[in-house]
Amino acid sequence: MKENINGFSKLDKQEKINWIAQNFFSDADEAVKMIKRYWNADEALQKLHDEFIENTITNFYLPFGIAPNFLINKEWYTVPMVIEESSVVAAAAKSAKFWSVRGGFKTTVIGTEKIGQVHFLFKGEKPKLIQFINQIKPLFFDETAVVTQNMRKRGGGIQEVELRDKTDVLPDYYQLHVTFDTKDSMGANFINSCLEQIAEILKKQAVQNPSFSDEENQIDVVMSILSNYVPNCLVRAEVSCRVEELKSKDIEDPQLFAEKFVQAVKIAEIEPFRAVTHNKGIMNGVDAVVVATGNDFRAVEAGIHAFAAKSGVYSSLSHAIIEDGIFKFWVDLPLALGTVGGLTSLHPMVKMALQILKKPSAEQLMQIIAAAGLAQNFAAVKSLTTTGIQKGHMKMHLMNILNQFKATDEEKVAVAAHFEKEIVSHNAVVELLESLRK
Ligand code: MEV
């Protein structure tokens, strides 16, 4: 077995597959067969996927599910979700339906500001730097015109360039903190291109200026990059109803339910161990739609968790209160999303997801995703404070256990019927399967 290799990227696809199969599998032919089973028969489609990243050898499937009946600001949405975890889509759909007859989700975009920074070092006197940046500031707009032209036509562009002094936390460290409006695109490439251009302008102007040319007064650019922390690219999703309206099949005592629910959210607000799991439940809904719509889930995750820790203590993203007999539950999420550019026009399933969502703008998508996050959070906290989550989870997980044991369709029907009224556990399922097979 050879565990490392030079020039892997130079091999063609078949050679890459052979290297993997021969080095990591006892039955290389079987491994090659498995890798190729996941190829798409449509060669053009396969090529498209091959070219999304480097060193592609095959595809990795995730289920694409649908959560219907989301009533958001009085408009119906059918929400596509890409996720591997059983029960997430079912929970979202159940929550959506529950709230659809209680006024639906109300969502508001609070801001759409994106951020990028040019990080640099300067040892000289601060007033001199301030004056210099003020003097050259118009150039940051004028000399990036080529890069920003199209975005400006769409109503976006660079909004502001601000000098920030960070020398109190790191010696000689300053930033150009730049804000952007990127309209319907996530704008990562646009922002990074602008920032690199701004850094060039900064360097060029400094070199040409005699007061910045000596060693003591040099401007050293360290790096230029967008920030995935976007606290002002913010959306709120909220649900509310009179406490007694919460009464439903699984909520017999709405007052008790509401109080316990609010208590559970309060715990997540003050206890980081709980907050992380609570927020993970929100991200079940958020990520599934972010992935389905071809957005950058790592960026969204990083930004949201930073936002959850903005007070200095990691805390719940959602909040709940009972006020004047009204139960109110809401979430604020920073979401930098795109509905044009990137994968949105390339990946056929992303195009399909956006079509199902009625071709939303980035602002509409922010609202849909916030609603999906809140729906998911409601379902999780509702289960946790009433039946516990395992009842629902294990019901959904039943199919995974049955597939693991290669159950036939008849066996699946018989086992599912049995567990309608019984508690699902791995052992109980296996025992039942064994007895059916005797
Ligand atoms: C599981 O994927 C998500 C939950 O743990 C969320 C929560 O605890 O609130 C159920």
Side-chain angles (χ1 to χ4, degrees), residues 85 88 274 277-281 284 377 380-381 384 389 393:
E85 184 176 335
V88 166
R274 174 57 202 149
T277 319
H278 178 93
N279 290 346
K280 191 272 185 186
N284 277 344
N377 192 208
V381 177
L384 287 169
I389 57 153
H393 252 221

Side-chain angles (χ1 to χ4, degrees), residues 50 66 91 142 144 155 164 166 188 214 243 269 275 283 291 308 314 355 374 398 401 437:
D50 286 354
I66 296 289
D142 298 345
T144 50
R164 289 195 174 177
K166 292 280 175 176
D214 62 292
V243 170
E269 283 169 345
M283 299 316 288
V291 175
Y314 190 92
Q355 176 70 35
L374 190 68
L398 179 60
I401 305 175
R437 285 172 179 176

Side-chain angles (χ1 to χ4, degrees), residues 199-215:
E200 282 310 310
I201 297 164
L202 177 67
K203 284 192 273 187
K204 194 176 95 192
Q205 290 302 318
V207 167
Q208 285 173 4
N209 189 321
S211 19
F212 288 87
S213 48
D214 62 292
E215 177 102 24

